Amino acid sequence: MAKFDDPRLSALNAEAGFQDAGMRHALTSALENGEVARASYNVGAHVWVAAVLTDRALILVKGAVRAKVMRVPLPLEIVRGPAGPKKGARVRTPLGVKTLWGSNLDADMAALLAGQAGAIAEPVVRPVSVLNKVPGDAPQLVETLGEHDAVAPTIEERKVPVRLTRRERSEARRRAGKKPRRPRLQKAWGAWVGFAPPSTIWDISYNCVMCGRALSNPNSQRHRVGTDCIKRWGSQARKIRNPALTAWEDRKARAGIERIGRQVEFDAAYARQRAEHEAALTAWREVRAGRV
């Protein structure tokens, strides 16, 4: 039993998709006057999503009970050509970038790639008749084309990459050599300035701050008073900012400025290396693909 009775969709009877009646009805309602289907594809790993390529657009049918139809007019935006074991092509759709594959009518994705140029060519039927056969000469073949027959696009027009032979691919890889190594951004390190000294130290006084007598005892020098004044006035010990910390902070600031200057140089060199790497990588890919 045929899946589609509509002659515009009769070509899809050879496909394996559209098992649900709701999807078939939605697809039939979405066709315009004179629009003819060419092939259908599976969309990624979705069970209830299918795509139909017509001579005017790519129609996406999503859902079963209440199927929704989305049209992607030609030309199509193909993100990636056929690749992988299933020969799937990545196409930008209203649902995002999806992988189309699994078509029986368009197994090599030639019709889908032709949609990237904005036109889907019909198969050309060329009946050949032998007329005015002259003895001793080759028969003259006369091709009769209809008024609306379209000439099939060439490989260049369809933008289908020509697959190289195994020997040509091996030779291209040998000529390309190793892949250009990606540059790495160097990180500038500051000069070692040592560990930070204590922030405060004891204020040492060699004379009593109360009576002015000279102090020779280290304990009295730290308390800044003599043995008699400490009994009367108590300890006058105090802490002050460490001068060594100020010198250390100055050395650290100079080292930081020098590090920033070296990092600016490394960043400029990295930017140049990135530009050179992109050019070298593009050339390497051209040679490896056999296009150069």
Side-chain angles (χ1 to χ4, degrees):
M1 181 177 179
K3 300 178 184 178
F4 296 100
D5 298 331
D6 194 330
R8 298 175 298 176
L9 299 174
S10 59
L12 301 184
N13 293 331
E15 298 284 10
F18 289 97
Q19 301 295 333
D20 184 75
M23 298 179 68
R24 296 196 297 269
H25 177 71
L27 176 61
T28 305
S29 303
L31 289 179
E32 298 177 352
N33 294 332
E35 189 174 10
V36 181
R38 300 302 182 198
S40 67
Y41 309 90
N42 297 331
V43 180
H46 302 286
V47 178
W48 298 110
V49 181
V52 175
L53 180 66
T54 67
D55 54 353
R56 301 179 186 179
L58 179 68
I59 302 178
L60 298 176
V61 184
K62 178 181 179 182
V65 179
R66 296 180 180 179
K68 297 181 180 180
V69 178
M70 287 161 282
R71 297 178 62 91
V72 183
L74 301 182
L76 302 177
E77 183 179 355
I78 298 180
V79 180
R80 189 203 67 195
K86 296 183 179 181
K87 300 298 181 183
R90 301 278 288 175
V91 181
R92 190 174 301 280
T93 67
L95 302 178
V97 178
K98 298 296 181 180
T99 302
L100 305 186
W101 56 279
S103 175
N104 296 331
L105 300 177
D106 190 24
D108 57 349
M109 295 290 178
L112 186 66
L113 294 175
Q116 187 178 13
I120 304 298
E122 299 182 4
V124 181
V125 180
R126 299 184 178 183
V128 179
S129 60
V130 180
L131 302 178
N132 301 328
K133 183 176 180 180
V134 180
D137 295 337
Q140 299 178 1
L141 302 182
V142 179
E143 298 182 356
T144 58
L145 295 178
E147 180 181 358
H148 300 286
D149 290 339
V151 179
T154 61
I155 293 180
E156 292 77 6
E157 294 174 349
R158 292 183 299 176
K159 299 181 180 180
V160 179
V162 179
R163 182 171 178 83
L164 303 178
T165 62
R166 183 175 181 181
R167 179 173 297 180
E168 290 174 343
R169 293 196 300 271
S170 177
E171 178 64 20
R173 289 193 297 268
R174 186 192 64 79
R175 288 188 292 106
K178 293 184 178 180
K179 184 177 181 179
R181 181 173 296 181
R182 182 179 180 181
R184 293 183 178 273
L185 176 62
Q186 289 184 301
K187 184 176 181 180
W189 298 92
W192 172 250
V193 295
F195 295 103
S199 60
T200 59
I201 59 175
W202 290 106
D203 184 12
I204 302 300
S205 178
Y206 297 97
N207 296 90
C208 179
V209 297
M210 305 306 296
C211 64
R213 184 171 61 89
L215 302 175
S216 59
N217 189 348
N219 191 30
S220 298
Q221 292 175 357
R222 185 171 71 86
H223 289 283
R224 304 197 307 155
V225 290
T227 55
D228 295 335
C229 294
I230 195 173
K231 296 177 182 179
R232 182 177 181 181
W233 305 104
S235 175
Q236 300 297 319
R238 67 176 185 178
K239 285 191 173 182
I240 60 175
R241 179 175 175 82
N242 190 0
L245 179 63
T246 303
W248 179 85
E249 291 177 346
D250 293 340
R251 294 197 306 272
K252 183 179 179 181
R254 289 195 298 269
I257 295 175
E258 294 176 357
R259 184 195 66 81
I260 293 175
R262 290 195 301 271
Q263 188 63 51
V264 171
E265 296 177 358
F266 290 160
D267 293 344
Y270 178 71
R272 294 192 300 269
Q273 293 172 1
R274 282 290 303 273
E276 295 173 358
H277 174 261
E278 291 295 334
L281 186 61
T282 302
W284 177 82
R285 287 172 178 171
E286 293 292 327
V287 175
R288 186 177 175 85
R291 293 189 287 267
V292 179

